[in-house]
Amino acid sequence: MKKKFKFSLAYQILTGLVLGIIIGAIFYGNPAIETYLQPIGTIFLNMIKMIVVPIIISTLILGVAGTGDIKQLGKLGGKTLIYFEIVTTIAIIVGLLAANIFQPGHGIDMSSLSKGNIDQYVKTTEEVQSESHGVLDILVDIVPSNVIKSMSEGDMLPIIFFSVLFGLGIAAIGEKGKPVLAFFEGMAEAMFWVTNMIMKFAPFGVFALIGVTVSKFGLESLLPLGKLMILVYATMAFFIVVVLGGIAKLVGINIFHLIKVLKDELLLAYSTSSSETVLPKVIQKMEKFGCPKDIVSFVVPTGYSFNLDGSTLYQALAALFIAQMYNIDLSITQQITLVLVLMVTSKGIAGVPGVSFVVLLATLGTVGIPLEGLAFIAGIDRLLDMARTVVNVIGNALATVVMSKWEGRFDSKKKAEYYSSINQAV
């Protein structure tokens, strides 16, 4: 019997992506496109931001209250941060190796490149650097003085800290805490329903966002930086298949199974270049994939601040690309300095808009690379950001599996059933 073709969300998003590229290319240089399309894209991103905080709070409180064990949570937190640090360091090293081997910045005629406007990133970097961002400052920032303010600003780490304590409080008061727990259970269910409704709007959001991007830079501006783009995409693919694939194999998971489960989310994250757009669905799917609720609701949001594999890989590669463009030869010592600075900086200012650019601006000066070099890659940053986002999402989804396995709580039977149900649906 012939399978009936189903126009699933993934196909709808792909259609929105293709149509957006076509419209953007046709109306290249026409500011009217941004006037009409940008509001649609902004509405979609705002709808996602609207639901992220209630979902994290409700799922995390449910997970923690269900465990109710402060020692177990402390152990999980410690292991998670160690894992994040190791993987992001590997990502930085992979980025440096790719740039050293393939030399994407050599032989580029800088007069053929158009400069992008990086003023907004410079302003953000100055704001960030005016507040010191050492390891102790990050620890101080985790504890909120006003949790409502943290919620309104979407500041993940203080929200996680508060939710964990609140969940432990509910577990500690026993029977009295049950009505509160029932409230958050209802809230989580309702928010996932809202998520599914918002996802129906995703193809329109994707169409608008990509249309505006293409209409701004056009397709011709990609040619001089083609080598950098190809190298970034190839290195990201290598990192997913070899590094993350190797980690997945170590814990007994096939990375391609995980990619297949998250295909809709990866396509959406790629199109919008925002990993926030898929956070609610990733939490939902990783639970179905066999990871316990408390581990998923702790690891995924924390990963959004501490486990940005794609972003750190790109930052290392882009730093060397700019150095090569200016014929600056970085010594091994300078490259090790770059690794160490990136390890701290990329954690300290996570959650800032245009975070990869801001981290690079805050980092390049420490090894003597001209900051103006960033203006040359600003035009294609959005396209590179799309690749970074996919790696960030896969890295965080895999982290929940690794932590679940490490804690001995991964449900292989549930995973097998969920994966076979996906295969049947395709």
Side-chain angles (χ1 to χ4, degrees), residues 248-268:
K249 201 170 170 51
L250 276 175
V251 296
I253 291 285
N254 184 330
I255 193 73
F256 295 106
H257 287 186
L258 191 60
I259 291 168
K260 191 170 185 179
V261 164
L262 295 171
K263 68 177 189 303
D264 291 8
E265 287 68 36
L266 295 177
L267 191 52
L268 180 59

Side-chain angles (χ1 to χ4, degrees), residues 235-372:
T235 310
M236 297 284 181
F238 170 84
F239 186 80
I240 290 168
V241 175
V242 177
V243 178
L244 297 182
I247 294 168
K249 201 170 170 51
L250 276 175
V251 296
I253 291 285
N254 184 330
I255 193 73
F256 295 106
H257 287 186
L258 191 60
I259 291 168
K260 191 170 185 179
V261 164
L262 295 171
K263 68 177 189 303
D264 291 8
E265 287 68 36
L266 295 177
L267 191 52
L268 180 59
Y270 178 77
S271 312
T272 57
S273 67
S274 163
S275 40
E276 209 171 43
T277 54
V278 297
L279 188 143
K281 293 296 279 184
V282 169
I283 288 176
Q284 207 174 18
K285 283 194 171 178
M286 293 320 294
E287 277 183 44
K288 290 178 183 173
F289 197 70
C291 303
K293 189 189 278 283
D294 56 313
I295 291 180
V296 178
S297 44
F298 176 79
V299 174
V300 174
T302 314
Y304 271 55
S305 291
F306 287 99
N307 189 38
L308 301 169
D309 305 333
S311 299
T312 46
L313 190 159
Y314 166 74
Q315 287 150 14
L317 210 162
L320 256 64
F321 170 80
I322 293 165
Q324 289 162 7
M325 213 162 60
Y326 283 98
N327 290 316
I328 298 166
D329 206 14
L330 292 184
S331 65
I332 293 294
T333 316
Q334 285 174 307
Q335 292 197 30
I336 290 168
T337 306
L338 190 65
V339 171
L340 297 172
V341 174
L342 278 173
M343 276 166 67
V344 177
T345 326
S346 60
K347 306 292 183 292
I349 56 176
V352 174
V355 68
S356 284
F357 239 65
V358 174
V359 169
L360 277 169
L361 277 165
T363 308
L364 294 184
T366 58
V367 285
I369 301 171
L371 299 182
E372 312 85 71

Side-chain angles (χ1 to χ4, degrees), residues 3-318:
K3 270 191 177 180
K4 194 182 170 190
F5 176 73
K6 188 170 174 263
F7 196 49
S8 65
L9 182 66
Y11 288 119
Q12 291 171 32
I13 291 169
L14 197 56
T15 306
L17 181 67
V18 172
L19 290 175
I21 291 169
I22 293 166
I23 293 293
I26 292 169
F27 293 98
Y28 167 53
N30 186 339
I33 282 293
E34 190 174 358
T35 311
Y36 294 114
L37 291 187
Q38 191 62 53
I40 301 169
T42 306
I43 286 169
F44 174 65
L45 293 178
N46 285 352
M47 285 199 295
I48 293 291
K49 286 175 183 170
M50 170 183 83
I51 58 172
V52 164
V53 171
I55 280 178
I56 288 171
I57 291 171
S58 54
T59 53
L60 196 48
I61 287 171
L62 280 176
V64 171
T67 312
D69 185 344
I70 198 160
K71 266 191 186 167
Q72 194 179 321
L73 273 166
K75 250 170 58 185
L76 174 66
K79 286 176 179 176
T80 303
L81 293 179
I82 290 166
Y83 171 78
F84 286 166
E85 198 52 70
I86 291 167
V87 180
T88 47
T89 306
I90 293 169
I92 295 169
I93 293 164
V94 168
L96 290 178
L97 285 173
N100 278 303
I101 294 165
F102 296 101
Q103 306 276 318
H106 276 307
I108 282 189
D109 174 14
M110 285 164 72
S111 62
S112 70
L113 299 178
S114 56
K115 278 193 171 189
N117 185 356
I118 58 168
D119 292 350
Q120 68 188 87
Y121 299 114
V122 173
K123 189 169 174 284
T124 311
T125 308
E126 284 164 2
E127 283 169 14
V128 166
Q129 285 178 328
S130 66
E131 310 157 19
S132 51
H133 263 280
V135 177
L136 287 174
D137 297 292
I138 297 167
L139 289 175
V140 169
D141 290 344
I142 287 172
V143 184
S145 57
N146 181 345
V147 74
I148 306 297
K149 183 170 178 274
S150 300
M151 287 176 195
S152 71
E153 290 171 357
D155 207 347
M156 288 296 174
L157 296 179
I159 292 169
I160 292 166
F161 182 83
F162 170 78
S163 303
V164 167
L165 282 184
F166 195 80
L168 288 169
I170 292 172
I173 60 173
E175 281 299 313
K176 287 179 187 169
K178 282 192 174 167
V180 187
L181 206 54
F183 166 77
F184 283 107
E185 214 165 334
M187 183 173 162
E189 290 291 322
M191 290 319 297
F192 283 125
W193 182 89
V194 173
T195 303
N196 291 332
M197 288 298 290
I198 290 172
M199 282 304 140
K200 290 182 167 60
F201 188 68
F204 300 100
V206 166
F207 166 76
L209 291 165
I210 205 74
V212 170
T213 305
V214 175
S215 74
K216 269 186 182 172
F217 64 71
L219 300 172
E220 314 87 73
S221 65
L222 304 181
L223 297 174
L225 295 169
K227 195 176 174 186
L228 174 66
M229 272 196 68
I230 291 164
L231 184 60
V232 167
Y233 273 74
T235 310
M236 297 284 181
F238 170 84
F239 186 80
I240 290 168
V241 175
V242 177
V243 178
L244 297 182
I247 294 168
K249 201 170 170 51
L250 276 175
V251 296
I253 291 285
N254 184 330
I255 193 73
F256 295 106
H257 287 186
L258 191 60
I259 291 168
K260 191 170 185 179
V261 164
L262 295 171
K263 68 177 189 303
D264 291 8
E265 287 68 36
L266 295 177
L267 191 52
L268 180 59
Y270 178 77
S271 312
T272 57
S273 67
S274 163
S275 40
E276 209 171 43
T277 54
V278 297
L279 188 143
K281 293 296 279 184
V282 169
I283 288 176
Q284 207 174 18
K285 283 194 171 178
M286 293 320 294
E287 277 183 44
K288 290 178 183 173
F289 197 70
C291 303
K293 189 189 278 283
D294 56 313
I295 291 180
V296 178
S297 44
F298 176 79
V299 174
V300 174
T302 314
Y304 271 55
S305 291
F306 287 99
N307 189 38
L308 301 169
D309 305 333
S311 299
T312 46
L313 190 159
Y314 166 74
Q315 287 150 14
L317 210 162

